Amino acid sequence: MMMMMKSTSILFLAFQGVSSFTTISLQNGRVHSGTVQKAAMIDLSARPLNITSLNNGLCDKVMFDQGIQAIQQANAITTSTTTTKSETTTKENEVSSEILEDLRSKSIKDLKLVCSKRSIRYKGLKEQDEFVQAIVDNINDLKDFSVSGHLVPGAFNEISGDILEQEKNSKLPLLLDVYATFCGPCKLVEPEFEVAARRLGKNCRVAKLDSQKYHEVANSLQVQGLPATILIHKGRVVSRREGLVSRDQLMDFVDAFIPKQFW
């Protein structure tokens, strides 16, 4: 006996046994199986149903084939979901727990802002997990550019002392603007750094550090005046200057440390 239910079940099959009916229904990616006296939920992610559990001696071939198809489809759904979750977990493990925790604490509105800053297209993304995964994928794709995952090609990135510590030993040069919020000239050079960052793209990381928040880091960099432009390459300061600077001067500043094919 086979009938289509008006409930959310996709398929309902009844197999007549000696003293009871065995039921199998597919609903929302799960198979419900049991007898008419006591139904049981079987979570496919934990234990997919075995096709041989169908008793083809007690139902006609059409019913049996449809039962097999229902279980195969359900198992395929579960396998796909499990694989996706496994891949997601692997990728998430590649980024720091601090970044993941920060992303998961953000609202969708804030995650959209993160996507915009990282030039990630988010059209079609709806759930928070989808936004987080898109950002995680982007961070992993840019591992060679930014060890910490905070620096983005073409962007003028705000960083902390901890992030600077992670980034300073990279083979890619780091063009750093050390500033203070009270400093007028610092505000004037900010758009110059933004243009330089867009021009340099993946060839150089461009960032800024607040000397008031991270005064110990500024002292360690021997900053004497603001704004201070510092070029760091392979863990050491290779060049510095203080005062106003133009976008063209910034490009000249990093010239010796940029691959010649870039020019």
Side-chain angles (χ1 to χ4, degrees):
M1 174 182 177
M2 172 181 168
M3 56 184 175
M4 296 304 297
M5 306 297 290
K6 291 183 179 179
S7 66
T8 56
S9 295
I10 300 174
L11 183 65
F12 182 91
L13 297 175
F15 299 91
Q16 187 171 13
V18 177
S19 59
S20 64
F21 284 90
T22 301
T23 64
I24 296 178
S25 63
L26 178 64
Q27 179 180 357
N28 299 327
R30 289 183 174 185
V31 169
H32 300 263
S33 178
T35 66
V36 290
Q37 290 90 356
K38 185 179 180 181
M41 170 75 76
I42 296 179
D43 186 346
L44 289 177
S45 64
R47 184 170 65 87
L49 285 181
N50 191 327
I51 293 174
T52 58
S53 64
L54 289 174
N55 186 346
N56 60 349
L58 299 175
C59 63
D60 61 38
K61 188 177 187 305
V62 173
M63 287 172 58
F64 181 67
D65 291 344
Q66 289 175 326
I68 288 178
Q69 184 178 6
I71 292 177
Q72 287 176 328
Q73 289 174 346
N75 288 347
I77 291 171
T78 302
T79 301
S80 175
T81 302
T82 303
T83 301
T84 302
K85 287 181 178 179
S86 175
E87 291 174 350
T88 299
T89 301
T90 300
K91 289 182 178 180
E92 286 185 348
N93 287 338
E94 295 176 11
V95 302
S96 69
S97 58
E98 290 82 3
I99 292 177
L100 277 176
E101 184 178 351
D102 178 58
L103 290 174
R104 288 169 176 162
S105 69
K106 293 182 183 298
S107 65
I108 289 181
K109 180 180 178 180
D110 289 337
L111 289 170
K112 286 182 178 180
L113 290 175
V114 175
C115 288
S116 296
K117 289 179 180 179
R118 301 187 71 91
S119 300
I120 300 172
R121 294 183 178 181
Y122 57 82
K123 184 179 180 181
L125 302 181
K126 296 180 181 179
E127 302 297 329
Q128 184 194 46
D129 287 347
E130 293 177 316
F131 281 93
V132 170
Q133 187 57 51
I135 297 169
V136 167
D137 288 343
N138 179 261
I139 291 173
N140 288 329
D141 290 342
L142 296 175
K143 274 295 185 184
D144 290 339
F145 182 82
S146 173
V147 175
S148 70
H150 285 85
L151 305 185
V152 182
F156 186 32
N157 308 269
E158 179 90 35
I159 63 173
S160 66
D162 289 339
I163 294 174
L164 176 60
E165 187 65 26
Q166 294 178 60
E167 296 285 350
K168 68 180 184 181
N169 293 316
S170 171
K171 294 180 180 179
L172 279 178
L174 173 61
L175 183 61
L176 183 67
D177 170 33
V178 182
Y179 75 100
T181 55
F182 62 80
C183 170
C186 294
K187 297 176 181 177
L188 293 177
V189 301
E190 186 167 336
E192 303 302 309
F193 273 91
E194 289 174 347
V195 172
R198 289 195 293 271
R199 288 182 180 178
L200 291 166
K202 291 184 177 181
N203 294 280
C204 180
R205 299 158 303 154
V206 184
K208 58 183 176 179
L209 180 97
D210 189 337
S211 62
Q212 291 173 282
K213 288 183 179 179
Y214 307 103
H215 60 275
E216 291 183 359
V217 178
N219 289 337
S220 70
L221 293 171
Q222 300 179 354
V223 172
Q224 301 297 320
L226 299 173
T229 302
I230 297 175
L231 186 63
I232 301 173
H233 188 231
K234 296 181 179 179
R236 64 188 185 92
V237 175
V238 294
S239 188
R240 68 170 64 239
R241 65 177 295 166
E242 294 170 354
L244 293 174
V245 63
S246 70
R247 62 196 68 179
D248 291 332
Q249 288 174 319
L250 289 172
M251 298 299 288
D252 292 339
F253 199 62
V254 301
D255 180 26
F257 300 92
I258 297 296
K260 294 308 174 185
Q261 60 266 30
F262 168 71
W263 306 106

